[in-house]
Amino acid sequence: VDCSTILQEDCSRPQEEEDIMDIPLDDPEANRAAAKIQAGFRGHMTRKKMKPEDKAEGEEVIKEGKGRGKELI
Amino acid sequence: MAPKKDPKAAAPAKKAEPAPAPAPAPEPAPAPAAAPAVDLSAVKIEFSADQVEDYREAFGLFDRVGDNKVAYNQIADIMRALGQNPTNKEVSKLLGNPSADDMANKRVEFEQFLPMLQTIINSPNKAGFEDYVEGLRVFDKEGNGTVMGAELRIVLSTLGEKMTEAEIDALMAGQEDENGCVNYEAFVKHIMSV
């Protein structure tokens, strides 16, 4: 096999290391914005689980509370 | 005979040297400023009788013990079930900044719950469609209306009130396209539809 025909690896993978360094971990504004978004997401997920067609999951939401002490601090 | 020498008198018991005063326990790192507790008795309830009945019904669904109360750690979910989106910090403040133990074991009566719900409903700065879109737009590197699902997952798990992997998986299910990208306006519309 002619080595010169070996295809180069696709370089278009997202540069995740760089992205991670961009995450503003200590920025209070970013954290406040994230918390608001997360609150909206959590609200959505709870309501979705409680819809009649998801009765089993709705039951889980109702019971789940018991195990979540740590998480909610 | 030489008098027996008294065995040397036992050296006077050395006064136990005072142990060096134990270094004062380092002050525990100050807890992040806990939000001051809310005075729930000052909250004016503005719900109609019908609304109160609806809330009472939802509240009852969460009472698995049968004592007409619910656990502290269920309050956030009841509020979410009733259409609100409280942050965990807001709920914690309403409950008087409880410990993890309190969260699991203390219970709240419906009458105590109502002013908590009223407070959340009254709170200013509630996020709307634009707020969520703007928040996510920060991560739209190419300005094309999409964010990398992978990046969004990292943000959700490392910033703010961190989400667990299970929560994130549930949230993102079906939201990423074949390139792992999320159209965030569509995503927010989907979020707000429930």
Side-chain angles (χ1 to χ4, degrees):
Chain A
V1 171
D2 182 349
C3 293
S4 65
T5 61
I6 291 175
L7 293 171
Q8 278 209 324
E9 225 187 303
D10 186 2
C11 294
S12 62
R13 282 186 315 160
Q15 294 164 281
E16 280 179 18
E17 292 91 16
E18 215 177 284
D19 290 344
I20 290 172
M21 309 253 285
D22 284 348
I23 305 270
L25 291 175
D26 296 325
D27 178 356
E29 270 307 309
N31 277 290
R32 259 198 295 275
K36 256 190 166 155
I37 293 174
Q38 287 154 334
F41 290 170
R42 286 182 164 120
H44 160 78
M45 291 196 296
T46 299
R47 289 186 284 277
K48 189 166 152 206
K49 279 193 196 172
M50 300 212 48
K51 282 177 116 173
E53 45 276 23
D54 281 328
K55 189 156 195 284
E57 286 201 47
E59 290 285 307
E60 274 314 301
V61 173
I62 291 169
K63 283 194 288 191
E64 217 169 78
K66 298 215 154 76
R68 290 172 58 201
K70 275 192 305 195
E71 230 172 83
L72 291 178
I73 294 303
Chain B
M1 254 187 341
K4 238 189 186 150
K5 266 194 169 122
D6 277 331
K8 260 200 167 107
K14 264 191 175 144
K15 232 181 171 162
E17 276 196 8
E27 293 225 354
V38 172
D39 178 9
L40 293 172
S41 59
V43 176
K44 180 165 181 281
I45 304 297
E46 293 167 345
F47 304 132
S48 69
D50 280 347
Q51 284 174 313
V52 171
E53 278 323 297
D54 284 344
Y55 301 156
R56 195 190 301 275
E57 198 180 315
F59 187 87
L61 280 182
F62 282 75
D63 171 13
R64 308 300 277 180
V65 169
D67 61 350
N68 296 317
K69 297 182 188 178
V70 302
Y72 274 23
N73 62 16
Q74 293 177 288
I75 295 294
D77 276 340
I78 304 179
M79 292 180 170
R80 290 172 184 137
L82 292 173
Q84 300 305 307
N85 298 315
T87 58
N88 291 335
K89 185 170 162 193
E90 284 173 313
V91 175
S92 189
K93 184 173 157 179
L94 289 169
L95 292 171
N97 301 313
S99 64
D101 205 66
D102 291 341
M103 285 301 281
N105 298 313
K106 284 196 170 170
R107 299 176 72 71
V108 174
E109 288 182 335
F110 181 65
E111 298 302 326
Q112 297 167 295
F113 169 70
L114 279 184
M116 294 180 187
L117 181 63
Q118 184 75 72
T119 302
I120 292 298
I121 286 176
N122 292 348
S123 69
N125 304 324
K126 286 211 282 206
F129 178 80
E130 275 310 322
D131 297 299
Y132 294 122
V133 170
E134 285 309 310
L136 294 173
R137 182 166 286 136
V138 169
F139 302 98
D140 179 1
K141 298 216 156 68
E142 293 167 39
N144 63 1
T146 67
V147 293
M148 288 294 307
E151 193 167 344
L152 184 51
R153 283 166 183 273
I154 293 174
V155 169
L156 293 174
S157 63
T158 57
L159 287 182
E161 296 185 343
K162 303 172 189 181
M163 293 177 78
T164 63
E165 204 176 315
E167 283 179 298
I168 296 174
D169 283 342
L171 175 68
M172 309 271 299
Q175 300 300 316
E176 288 157 294
D177 66 18
E178 61 275 10
N179 297 318
C181 294
V182 175
N183 173 315
Y184 51 91
E185 278 201 29
F187 184 43
V188 174
K189 281 200 178 112
H190 162 73
I191 297 300
M192 298 194 69
S193 66
V194 181

